[in-house]
Amino acid sequence: MPLPATVTVTTADTRYGILIDAGLLASASTWAGLPKAAQAVIVTNTTVDALHGDALRRALAPLYPSVSTVALPDGEVYKTWQTLNLIFDHLLGHGCDRKTVLFALGGGVVGDMAGFAAASYMRGVPFVQVPTTLLAQVDSSVGGKTAINHPLGKNMIGAFYQPCRVVCDLDTLGTLPARETSAGLAEIIKYGPIADAAFFDWIEEHVDALRAHDRAALAYAVQRSCEIKAEVVGQDEREAGLRAILNFGHTFGHAIEAGLGYGEWLHGEAVGCGMVMAAELSALLGLVPPAFVERLARLCERAGLPVKGPRLGIGRYLELMRVDKKAEGGEIRFVLIDAPGHALLRSAPDALVAQAIECHLAA
Ligand SMILES: NC(=O)c1ccc[n+]([C@@H]2O[C@H](COP(=O)([O-])OP(=O)(O)OC[C@H]3O[C@@H](n4cnc5c(N)ncnc54)[C@H](O)[C@@H]3O)[C@@H](O)[C@H]2O)c1
Ligand SMILES: O=C(O)C(=O)C[C@@H](O)[C@H](O)[C@H](O)COP(=O)(O)O
Ligand SMILES: [Zn+2]
């Protein structure tokens, strides 16, 4: 893939670029044209701050009179009101005004919380996504979903709020642990079944290269994923309809995350297993042949993802899935596949949902 690449997100009232390249943090052109302000605040976590915080501080120092950092505790378990409040404490404690620019440096947890803080601090300040995990570069930094978790459900409190730029520096992925790479691959795999059969084929051919952090393969996967997500978000920013396809595997996956306790399984791991269950449900409804389920499960396994779900109890799965944001009047609506590259939203009888789960539970 030729680098650098820029993918543009266009919604009804915003337009921003997703920059994809190596060396972006250190390049002055990356930061040109961002909103001017007296202060910039880097929202990150303690792990990422130690690895990449200095590079971003160096980049922003010539641009803003004051650059400060708030380093949150690391982990999905900290995607809470209490942690969000640490950001507000920092912003108010530093006298940040409504022009202050927030920079979310980290994975999806940091991005979702920094975005929610940006959406609500003084009713909205600009923010820039600087994703440092594969998952965040291919998915969470794009499209403006921001949120925190509630013990009863994932991402239950949040806002749609778009960043003014997304900076995907492929170099930052060099420090990413293998388990996190696999988690990112789950969201990359997702785009194949829901939107692009040829990309599905490509991922199957390149999954080993992606796990080995082959630069060209990673660059293409980030670019194609962002293109698909930008296209969907551009048509349906607030999930009135089409955007729900980006939730493939998430109804089951979010139940796994909340049911086990946040952080026990990574989000991408839960989504991988959830996609297999959703594919199984599609097969049980006669939408795809059983071979499709096997194909997807095999790819997830090759990506290093678990494909057998935890034994939470079927009743517990159903209870957790009923709080899914796509549910209407207590009826769960699932993202299902009816052909590789095409998804649809529909409900299903509890008995079939239970069967789909049971087919893919750990021994
Ligand atoms: N808003 C959206 O559209 C959207 C989309 C997908 C996922 N999400 C959310 O994103 C979260 C998952 O994101 P994630 O997988 O990035 O998890 P994460 O943010 O927890 O990051 C994973 C781990 O990697 C570490 N890390 C980050 N960058 C690193 C680097 N370059 N080198 C070494 N370690 C690094 C982090 O400190 C963390 O321990 C979930 O909360 C999920 O709900 C949101
Ligand atoms: O951007 C979207 O839309 C997505 O659904 C992307 C998902 O990968 C992501 O995990 C999202 O946060 C889930 O959204 P939610 O509305 O189900 O909480
Ligand atoms: Zn997701």
Side-chain angles (χ1 to χ4, degrees):
M1 187 203 87
L3 286 172
T6 302
V7 176
T8 305
V9 181
T10 309
T11 69
D13 43 27
T14 56
R15 187 177 164 84
Y16 58 91
I18 305 164
L19 314 187
I20 304 162
D21 200 356
L24 284 175
L25 288 187
S27 165
S29 60
T30 302
W31 313 104
L34 286 176
K36 297 200 184 315
Q39 294 203 50
V41 175
I42 299 171
V43 182
T44 185
N45 70 28
T46 49
T47 308
V48 180
D49 190 22
L51 293 167
H52 303 290
D54 283 345
L56 186 55
R57 280 184 283 275
R58 267 195 303 277
L60 299 182
L63 304 173
Y64 297 97
S66 158
V67 179
S68 62
T69 302
V70 51
L72 307 173
D74 183 2
E76 184 77 38
V77 73
Y78 295 109
K79 195 175 160 183
T80 60
W81 269 121
Q82 289 80 2
T83 312
L84 185 70
N85 214 32
L86 297 177
I87 307 176
F88 297 133
D89 289 347
H90 181 98
L91 296 173
L92 288 163
H94 285 69
C96 292
D97 61 28
R98 59 172 22 156
K99 291 210 158 166
T100 300
V101 186
L102 304 196
F103 289 81
L105 176 72
V109 170
V110 161
D112 280 14
M113 281 195 292
F116 191 24
S120 43
Y121 184 69
M122 292 194 178
R123 302 196 186 93
V125 294
F127 88 112
V128 177
Q129 288 272 17
V130 189
T132 62
T133 63
L134 182 59
L135 185 144
Q137 295 195 355
V138 301
D139 190 351
S140 64
S141 61
V142 176
K145 270 192 183 176
T146 75
I148 54 168
N149 297 329
H150 186 280
L152 296 180
K154 271 279 292 183
N155 300 331
M156 282 298 155
I157 299 130
F160 289 99
Y161 192 69
Q162 301 293 339
C164 48
R165 189 166 299 168
V166 180
V167 177
C168 298
D169 187 334
L170 301 173
D171 285 340
T172 61
L173 302 180
T175 52
L176 201 62
R179 187 178 169 196
E180 299 294 346
T181 300
S182 292
L185 287 173
E187 302 277 22
I188 295 173
I189 291 169
K190 172 183 82 176
Y191 293 113
I194 64 165
D196 187 343
F199 189 44
F200 197 13
D201 297 342
W202 182 91
I203 301 164
E204 286 179 321
E205 283 161 30
H206 293 85
V207 65
D208 297 334
L210 290 165
R211 287 188 79 178
H213 279 221
D214 174 86
R215 173 58 58 88
L218 277 181
Y220 180 69
V222 174
Q223 183 191 353
R224 187 68 197 121
S225 299
C226 289
E227 283 169 354
I228 294 169
K229 184 153 187 185
E231 174 70 28
V232 171
V233 169
Q235 291 179 56
D236 179 22
E237 183 182 8
R238 300 175 75 89
E239 205 171 305
L242 174 72
R243 185 168 179 162
I245 67 171
L246 299 173
N247 235 240
F248 177 49
H250 286 65
T251 308
F252 296 96
H254 282 173
I256 292 172
E257 288 187 80
L260 284 176
Y262 297 117
E264 196 61 37
W265 276 30
L266 302 179
H267 174 72
E269 293 171 339
V271 167
C273 187
M275 288 193 293
V276 174
M277 290 174 174
E280 185 68 52
L281 183 57
S282 308
L284 291 171
L285 287 163
L287 299 171
V288 285
F292 176 79
V293 187
E294 284 156 36
R295 180 183 175 193
L296 183 60
R298 171 87 186 108
L299 180 56
C300 288
E301 273 178 333
R302 289 182 62 214
L305 295 162
V307 291
K308 293 290 180 194
R311 291 192 168 271
L312 304 174
I314 295 298
R316 183 77 178 125
Y317 267 98
L318 291 172
E319 181 185 37
L320 287 162
M321 291 196 296
R322 280 191 222 290
V323 298
D324 185 272
K325 290 179 258 358
K326 298 183 299 305
E328 284 181 4
E331 186 175 76
I332 313 167
R333 294 183 312 143
F334 296 90
V335 181
L336 302 173
I337 305 298
D338 60 359
H342 190 264
L344 64 144
L345 197 64
R346 74 176 253 197
S347 56
D350 280 359
L352 277 193
V353 178
Q355 201 181 330
I357 296 169
E358 264 159 7
C359 287
H360 298 281
L361 287 180

